[in-house]
Amino acid sequence: MSRGCLYGVGVGTGNPELITIKALRIIQSVPVIAYPASETGNSFARSIVAEFIQGNQIEVPIVLPFKLEKSAQPAYDEAAEQLAQHLNDGRDVAVLCEGDPFFYGSFMYIYDRLSPKFDSEIIPGISSVMASAAMIGIPLTYRNDVFIVLSGILSKEVLKEKLKAADAAVIIKLGRNFTKVKQVLQELGLVERAKYIENATRENQQILSIDEVEAETVPYFSLIVVPSQGELRVRS
């Protein structure tokens, strides 16, 4: 019996119309679908493509703690063992991933464990970075700009150092890090350029200036876009 293939399927940022035709084909054809889920059983990745999932498919929730103080590695170990059983039995497995599987995607940890043993294929998805720029309607970069993606978890000193060296930036993983990030933007004179966005491409999407954001309401999966001034430099 031939082994199954492991698919990492990017499902984008929330709007099901933005998944690729190939992602749709894989989702509807594989016998096993896995996805990250919270400890309460909710899965944002699954919710994006729920209308496309067939009723006869095996579903494997990968329950993750989603808390910084808890390690998710045991959950990935357990999920990899479970998915390996399906693959060894000849069943193809699609692991759904918000955004793109290889851009801060939870799928990477499954891939690291299983790709040395099984055939694997990645179906790219629209990342939050690209989707947010499109929703805000501001080009990220021009010509030879240096563009950087930073995690809001980084220290204030590191954030400031990296932002100074870039022409454009996106800062992800905000949540309780928002106040720190805002302070850095203020110190670098970037507040007016920056835009805040949460739930990009979804019905409850919000785009705000930095000063309009209430820090205590900022979700972890929100981000700040600091677009390039490249075109302004060209025109001047």
Side-chain angles (χ1 to χ4, degrees), residues 192-226:
E192 291 188 6
R193 260 172 65 191
K195 287 291 184 182
Y196 167 92
I197 182 169
E198 62 181 61
N199 301 317
T201 76
R202 295 157 66 185
E203 292 183 357
N204 58 343
Q205 170 182 289
Q206 281 199 83
I207 299 172
L208 303 169
S209 68
I210 302 303
D211 288 331
E212 291 178 303
V213 179
E214 298 180 6
E216 62 274 11
T217 67
V218 174
Y220 182 73
F221 291 115
S222 56
L223 56 81
I224 291 172
V225 177
V226 184

Side-chain angles (χ1 to χ4, degrees), residues 22-231:
K22 185 168 186 177
L24 177 60
R25 176 173 62 80
I26 297 299
I27 290 167
Q28 292 185 323
S29 64
V30 296
V32 181
I33 294 179
Y35 42 79
S38 68
E39 292 170 309
T40 60
N42 295 325
S43 171
F44 177 49
R46 187 193 186 282
S47 71
I48 296 172
V49 298
E51 63 186 289
F52 307 127
I53 295 176
Q54 312 297 300
N56 59 348
Q57 292 167 296
I58 299 169
E59 296 191 32
V60 182
I62 302 172
V63 179
L64 301 174
F66 291 112
K67 293 180 181 179
L68 294 177
E69 61 269 20
K70 288 187 178 181
S71 172
Q73 299 312 310
Y76 289 122
D77 289 338
E78 182 179 346
E81 290 181 11
Q82 191 173 1
L83 297 182
Q85 292 179 8
H86 289 293
L87 293 165
N88 277 321
D89 289 340
R91 289 185 285 273
D92 292 340
V93 175
V95 180
L96 307 181
C97 186
E98 301 163 28
D100 182 89
F102 277 178
F103 185 75
Y104 293 97
S106 56
F107 171 74
M108 294 186 296
Y109 303 102
I110 298 296
Y111 180 83
D112 288 343
R113 287 163 169 78
L114 295 180
S115 62
K117 306 172 186 176
F118 302 97
D119 290 338
S120 306
E121 184 176 349
I122 310 303
I123 292 80
I126 297 175
S127 73
S128 60
V129 171
M130 299 298 109
S132 295
M135 294 301 100
I136 294 171
I138 302 177
L140 283 174
T141 58
Y142 293 89
R143 299 189 180 183
N144 299 319
D145 283 337
V146 174
F147 171 65
I148 192 169
V149 178
L150 298 169
S151 167
I153 298 173
L154 294 168
S155 70
K156 185 176 178 181
E157 293 72 26
V158 172
L159 286 169
K160 185 179 290 189
E161 176 188 355
K162 299 295 184 182
L163 284 169
K164 283 181 178 179
D167 298 299
V170 168
I171 306 169
I172 63 174
K173 301 183 180 182
L174 293 178
R176 60 187 180 185
N177 301 297
F178 175 81
T179 300
K180 172 185 62 181
V181 172
K182 180 178 179 179
Q183 290 174 350
V184 171
L185 295 174
Q186 288 173 329
E187 292 174 14
L188 294 177
L190 296 174
V191 168
E192 291 188 6
R193 260 172 65 191
K195 287 291 184 182
Y196 167 92
I197 182 169
E198 62 181 61
N199 301 317
T201 76
R202 295 157 66 185
E203 292 183 357
N204 58 343
Q205 170 182 289
Q206 281 199 83
I207 299 172
L208 303 169
S209 68
I210 302 303
D211 288 331
E212 291 178 303
V213 179
E214 298 180 6
E216 62 274 11
T217 67
V218 174
Y220 182 73
F221 291 115
S222 56
L223 56 81
I224 291 172
V225 177
V226 184
S228 169
Q229 290 184 306
E231 186 65 10

